[in-house]
Amino acid sequence: MSGGYNCLDASPVPGDPRFGYQNTWNTGMVNAPCADPCCCLASLLFPCCSAMYVRKEVLGGSLDRYTCCQGYYDCMCWKAGSLGEDSMPELCLCLEALLCEACSISSTRMFMMDTRSIQPDPCDTRLIRLNNFLVLLSCVCHILAMIDDTFDAAAELVELISDIVYAIVSSCMLTQTHIEVKSAPRPIDWSKANLYPRSGSKQMRNGEMGGGGNRGIPPQNVMVGGGGGGPPGAT
């Protein structure tokens, strides 16, 4: 059954070359909280600060190669590397984590996978798809509530569940990435940064390559933010 009908589907994202990478995650997202409970708790309570810290870790301990979302979310009017990152990377990363938390967390994980040749984990894919399904369901319920007041209670309940799942999934994602950097350090292949488009994106569906960018980063499974408008994202 395809991911469009089964939110717990673990099948590869169509056209995603990352499923051909040779390495695997040191720890899956579902096991990350037990592997590093302190990091998971910090990511749960302070997601933006944790997102900034882990991004710097993944970039080799320096922000010299930092660009907004590492180029994974570039569009016609938004180009990573042209937003002032060279002169004030710390401020730009702070704004990215605060305003686009989901995209920030997902792009860090995608960059980690691309530059270290780590393939997606099937259980991780299920968690991300479940999160995205609940966010979509929350949006639908709120739209129905605007049409019919009897949906108000259901919309609030689904939004609460969506926000809780998002917070847990994003903290597990950050913890998994942190563990990978610390426990299983691999050489960084900068040539793969931004080589492939974000998983599920129009570019990937059309078989296009990534934007490249002067210091950009690549795409992969993406998580979307919580029902209340919160940030992480993807599959």
Side-chain angles (χ1 to χ4, degrees), residues 11-26:
S11 62
V13 176
D16 191 349
R18 295 175 183 84
F19 284 86
Y21 286 159
Q22 67 271 28
N23 298 319
T24 58
W25 287 100
N26 182 61

Side-chain angles (χ1 to χ4, degrees), residues 3 19 58 74 117 127 156 161 182:
F19 284 86
V58 171
D74 282 1
S117 296
L127 291 174
E156 293 297 328
I161 295 174
K182 295 301 182 182

Side-chain angles (χ1 to χ4, degrees), residues 144-202:
L144 292 175
M146 288 188 290
I147 301 173
D148 186 343
D149 291 345
T150 59
F151 284 97
D152 283 343
E156 293 297 328
L157 177 59
V158 173
E159 179 179 343
L160 175 61
I161 295 174
S162 174
D163 287 344
I164 292 174
V165 171
Y166 164 79
I168 294 173
V169 171
S170 60
S171 62
C172 289
M173 185 177 287
L174 284 170
T175 303
Q176 176 193 48
T177 307
H178 169 74
I179 292 173
E180 191 68 30
V181 173
K182 295 301 182 182
S183 302
R186 295 187 174 98
I188 303 175
D189 186 356
W190 298 107
S191 66
K192 285 189 175 181
N194 221 11
L195 179 62
Y196 300 119
R198 189 174 69 255
S199 293
S201 63
K202 180 180 179 181

Side-chain angles (χ1 to χ4, degrees), residues 79-108:
K79 180 67 175 177
S82 62
L83 304 171
E85 297 100 315
D86 287 328
S87 57
M88 42 187 178
E90 292 83 4
L91 176 60
C92 290
L93 177 56
C94 180
L95 291 175
E96 174 193 315
L98 286 172
L99 302 178
C100 308
E101 181 188 307
C103 297
S104 179
I105 295 174
S106 289
S107 59
T108 296

